[in-house]
Amino acid sequence: MTNDNSNRFDLGRRPVLSGLAGVLATGAVGTAAASGDDHHAGADDTTQDEPADQPPEAVPDEFENDIEILNYALTLEYLEAVFYTRGLRNIDESALEQQFEGRGPIQDQVVNRLRVVRDHEITHAEVLGQTVESLGGEPAQSPEFDFGTAVQDPAEFIATAAMLEDIGVSAYAGAAPYIDTFELVPPALSIHSVEARHASFLRELNGEIGFPEAFDDPRSRSEVLELASGFIVE
């Protein structure tokens, strides 16, 4: 995909509804650079003296129903979709490519690959919104986002993208076990696996190992909201 969808999905100025979007707008935690996402800092965190990784336990259930879970996921997809849309619109292609000089085909392919990621996030948001409506609910609208220089500086853009993808993967892992409607589970897991592919790709672009551990830890809703709220304009 090489087309620019910047006009298709820049939702940064749509109104914030009550519910999840309102919760996201509280308790900002600062910029991506200060996110404190220590668990996924990279492969060097683990030494041979430490015990082998163990499968994680489930996080607390902080949802009332499936519509709330879907709107939670929808708001996170808005976050990612708007982030990629703005970054790819604002940052010159050659500046992005320059970040990967000497890395072979990656340098030539990185912009188009990031456009594919952007388009995936847009599609995820559209499908989740349609699913909420099909269940008789009202889709959450996008909050107004402020990404600061992360959508202007190439290196910061890549680092923030890697962090956001890791947050998204952990969010789906934390929420999916509490989906009550069986028919919703396969689509949710298919989005989760694609988000994991995004996360691995962005981590590698950011100079980290894309798969640092044998098991990924889920995050609870409150943990995810604490991290994501740093990009919300109150």
Side-chain angles (χ1 to χ4, degrees):
M1 299 181 187
T2 59
N3 60 310
D4 184 354
N5 281 334
S6 59
N7 294 325
R8 178 182 171 201
F9 207 80
D10 192 345
L11 300 176
R13 298 190 179 278
R14 290 178 59 180
V16 179
L17 296 182
S18 60
L20 177 62
V23 173
L24 273 169
T26 63
V29 295
T31 64
S35 68
D37 190 18
D38 296 331
H39 178 73
H40 295 286
D44 293 338
D45 292 343
T46 301
T47 68
Q48 292 181 347
D49 295 331
E50 295 177 349
D53 290 344
Q54 297 295 321
E57 297 181 358
V59 298
D61 182 1
E62 299 175 349
F63 303 97
E64 292 185 2
N65 52 49
D66 286 349
I67 289 177
E68 197 167 85
I69 293 175
L70 291 170
N71 272 333
Y72 165 71
L74 173 58
T75 303
L76 294 174
E77 296 292 349
Y78 285 147
L79 175 70
E80 293 179 321
V82 174
F83 172 76
Y84 286 111
T85 297
R86 291 187 186 172
L88 290 171
R89 181 181 60 201
N90 294 339
I91 301 171
D92 185 75
E93 290 184 18
S94 61
L96 266 175
E97 292 172 351
Q98 189 67 26
Q99 294 295 308
F100 306 97
E101 187 174 6
R103 293 182 63 176
I106 287 295
Q107 183 173 3
D108 297 329
Q109 298 171 359
V110 64
V111 174
N112 283 337
R113 294 291 189 268
L114 289 170
R115 285 174 177 154
V116 172
V117 174
R118 174 201 61 194
D119 292 348
H120 286 172
E121 309 300 5
I122 292 171
T123 299
H124 291 167
E126 291 174 344
V127 169
L128 286 167
Q130 293 165 4
T131 304
V132 171
E133 289 180 339
S134 72
L135 295 175
E138 182 177 2
Q141 294 190 24
S142 176
E144 182 176 347
F145 298 111
D146 184 357
F147 300 104
T149 57
V151 290
Q152 299 170 1
D153 178 79
E156 190 178 353
F157 177 67
I158 296 298
T160 303
M163 186 199 72
L164 291 179
E165 294 292 351
D166 273 349
I167 292 173
V169 171
S170 66
Y172 275 96
Y178 300 111
I179 297 175
D180 290 326
T181 305
F182 175 77
E183 289 77 10
L184 296 177
V185 175
L189 292 180
S190 70
I191 293 177
H192 176 254
S193 63
V194 171
E195 294 292 346
R197 294 172 191 265
H198 294 171
S200 182
F201 174 63
L202 266 301
R203 288 178 63 86
E204 294 286 349
L205 289 183
N206 197 43
E208 305 169 77
I209 184 171
F211 36 90
E213 299 169 352
F215 303 97
D216 279 335
D217 286 334
R219 283 190 176 100
S220 67
R221 182 189 191 188
S222 58
E223 290 172 328
V224 170
L225 297 185
E226 182 181 7
L227 294 169
S229 62
F231 300 101
I232 302 296
V233 177
E234 297 187 35

